[in-house]
Amino acid sequence: MTTSEELLIIDPLDLKFPFELKKSITSSFELINKTNNHVAFKVKTTNPRKYTVRPNSGIVLPRSRSNVTVTMQPQKELPPDMQCKDKFLVQSVITNPGSTPKDINPDMFNKGNHVEECKLKVIYVSPPRKPSPVPEDSEEGTSPTASETDLQGQSELQDNSTKARDLILRLMEERDSIILQNSKLNRELDDFIIWMLFETIFQELLRNGRQEHRTGVPFLYILLVGLLGILLGYIVRNV
């Protein structure tokens, strides 16, 4: 922090621009008034077409500060050796209390008045290098970048989801197949039971003819009732 004699302290005295082609770049400095006076200021540059200064003039109140922003217009070419010969000049002079920026005029900064001047240099700074999208090779091989890791994770999730879906479909198909097999076995068992009953009735008829047992219910009647019950159950299950 350097003092421009007594009126204003200017910080910093070097305007640093992180130089990039075809981009507007800004830098700023602060005017600090530690006196009890109203101080008018004006900012000039050796290359006015290249820079925009906001504000380029104004009044710093007693015991207060004012910030000035300098914008460099987009440049099409790199400067030789990243050196810049542009300079800025800050002029300051005591003005009447109650003055406003509208009251500032060029006559205030004539040599006849007590005008203080401070020069600022322009310094180009190389911008920070962006990380390369392609990882550099090492003796142990290359390591994937964060984006590649994310893509690999998403791919693995998609593969796991596809495998899970295929497994569920296969299990559902096996379940349906088992259900069909059980249904087929039940029908075959019912058919077998009915066939056995018919066979038993036929054998009973051949053995006993039309004779009935003198005691109890005729055995043939019992077989017929059982057969009828099985047939009804079979019909109900297959409706």
Side-chain angles (χ1 to χ4, degrees):
M1 186 176 294
T2 304
T3 305
S4 174
E5 296 188 2
E6 297 179 353
L7 297 183
L8 292 178
I9 297 174
I10 302 177
D11 182 37
L13 291 178
D14 296 333
L15 289 177
K16 296 182 179 180
F17 293 90
F19 191 90
E20 291 188 62
L21 290 176
K22 300 180 180 180
K23 285 188 178 182
S24 297
I25 309 167
T26 61
S27 184
S28 62
F29 59 92
E30 194 172 34
L31 304 176
I32 305 170
N33 181 3
K34 290 189 176 183
T35 73
N36 295 319
N37 302 310
H38 288 66
V39 179
F41 72 89
K42 185 175 182 64
V43 182
K44 298 180 179 180
T45 178
T46 57
N47 196 344
R49 294 184 178 181
K50 185 176 178 181
Y51 302 95
T52 301
V53 182
R54 292 291 184 272
N56 64 349
S57 64
I59 294 178
V60 185
L61 299 177
R63 306 293 175 179
S64 64
R65 300 165 179 252
S66 180
N67 192 71
V68 177
T69 300
V70 181
T71 301
M72 184 175 65
Q73 304 304 316
Q75 302 298 301
K76 297 180 180 180
E77 298 179 354
L78 286 172
D81 300 326
M82 290 293 286
Q83 300 297 317
C84 181
K85 297 181 180 180
D86 300 333
K87 289 182 175 58
F88 284 81
L89 176 68
V90 179
Q91 295 177 310
S92 57
V93 63
I94 296 175
T95 186
N96 297 324
S99 298
T100 66
K102 294 181 180 180
D103 299 324
I104 297 176
N105 58 76
D107 294 336
M108 297 175 63
F109 301 95
N110 288 336
K111 294 297 182 180
N113 297 327
H114 178 68
V115 180
E116 295 184 357
E117 296 183 345
C118 182
K119 294 181 180 180
L120 284 69
K121 295 189 301 182
V122 175
I123 298 177
Y124 291 152
V125 180
S126 298
R129 295 183 61 184
K130 297 180 179 179
S132 175
V134 180
E136 298 180 356
D137 294 339
S138 63
E139 295 181 358
E140 298 177 359
T142 58
S143 58
T145 61
S147 58
E148 291 175 345
T149 303
D150 293 340
L151 291 175
Q152 291 176 357
Q154 294 176 2
S155 177
E156 291 177 358
L157 287 175
Q158 292 177 354
D159 292 342
N160 292 336
S161 177
T162 301
K163 291 179 181 179
R165 184 173 62 251
D166 294 342
L167 177 60
I168 292 173
L169 291 175
R170 186 167 65 253
L171 291 175
M172 292 176 65
E173 291 176 355
E174 292 178 358
R175 180 202 62 187
D176 295 339
S177 176
I178 292 173
I179 292 173
L180 290 175
Q181 291 178 1
N182 289 339
S183 178
K184 182 179 179 182
L185 289 174
N186 288 333
R187 288 195 298 270
E188 292 177 353
L189 180 61
D190 291 341
D191 294 341
F192 176 74
I193 293 174
I194 293 173
W195 180 82
M196 289 297 296
L197 286 173
F198 275 114
E199 180 69 18
T200 302
I201 293 171
F202 181 74
Q203 293 294 334
E204 184 66 19
L205 289 173
L206 291 178
R207 186 170 57 252
N208 299 323
R210 296 181 178 178
Q211 295 181 358
E212 297 180 354
H213 296 283
R214 295 181 179 179
T215 59
V217 181
F219 180 68
L220 181 58
Y221 176 76
I222 296 174
L223 291 177
L224 289 174
V225 171
L227 177 61
L228 180 61
I230 292 174
L231 286 174
L232 289 175
Y234 180 77
I235 293 172
V236 169
R237 283 196 303 271
N238 291 273
V239 170

